[in-house]
Amino acid sequence: MKQITSLVATFMIAVNGLSGQTMWIVDNAHSKVKFAVTHLVISEVEGSFRLYSGSIRSTNSDFMNSTVEFVVDVNSIDTENEMRDNHLKSGDFFNAAQYPKMTFKSVSWKKIDD
């Protein structure tokens, strides 16, 4: 069984938008999208995606009704092994030809605690 442990460390830059909206965008110069995969229970393969973008848009200081979007270019995968990278882009894994982008878009925010 393949296990994927992911870590996304992102830094955001605030940008004032139109209509009282504030937008934070990922600062690519200070951020990385990395992952580690346990392989055959004896080793770990690390990699990263070189091309990505992300933003948070909010009209309120409490972030209610905010939206989050994060996009990764699958073809930018880098495990420091070209043969493995090409295999990961194939239909066995990401199928980058058909699905070149991984996208996360929030659908709601829920306040859990004060």
Side-chain angles (χ1 to χ4, degrees):
M1 181 172 157
K2 298 174 190 167
Q3 286 187 333
I4 296 178
T5 305
S6 63
L7 169 64
V8 177
T10 58
F11 294 91
M12 309 297 268
I13 299 173
V15 178
N16 288 325
L18 303 172
S19 309
Q21 246 188 25
T22 301
M23 180 170 74
W24 289 265
I25 57 174
V26 171
D27 178 2
N28 293 56
H30 296 98
S31 304
K32 294 183 179 187
V33 176
K34 298 179 123 187
F35 61 89
V37 179
T38 303
H39 180 66
L40 299 174
V41 191
I42 58 171
S43 67
E44 190 170 84
V45 175
E46 295 180 349
S48 64
F49 291 94
R50 302 285 181 197
L51 301 174
Y52 52 89
S53 62
S55 65
I56 299 175
R57 296 173 199 262
S58 180
T59 55
N60 309 358
S61 60
D62 65 0
F63 288 94
M64 295 310 291
N65 300 319
S66 296
T67 57
V68 176
E69 184 170 347
F70 197 81
V71 179
V72 173
D73 182 339
V74 174
N75 286 296
S76 73
I77 195 166
D78 183 7
T79 63
E80 298 182 359
N81 181 304
E82 186 177 355
M83 188 182 306
R84 179 174 42 229
D85 294 346
N86 289 334
H87 188 208
L88 290 170
K89 293 176 196 178
S90 78
D92 289 342
F93 291 94
F94 288 111
N95 194 2
Q98 186 172 355
Y99 305 103
K101 307 267 186 230
M102 286 190 289
T103 303
F104 169 83
K105 292 182 181 181
S106 65
V107 293
S108 67
W109 287 81
K110 182 179 178 183
K111 185 174 182 176
I112 296 173
D113 200 335
D114 288 332

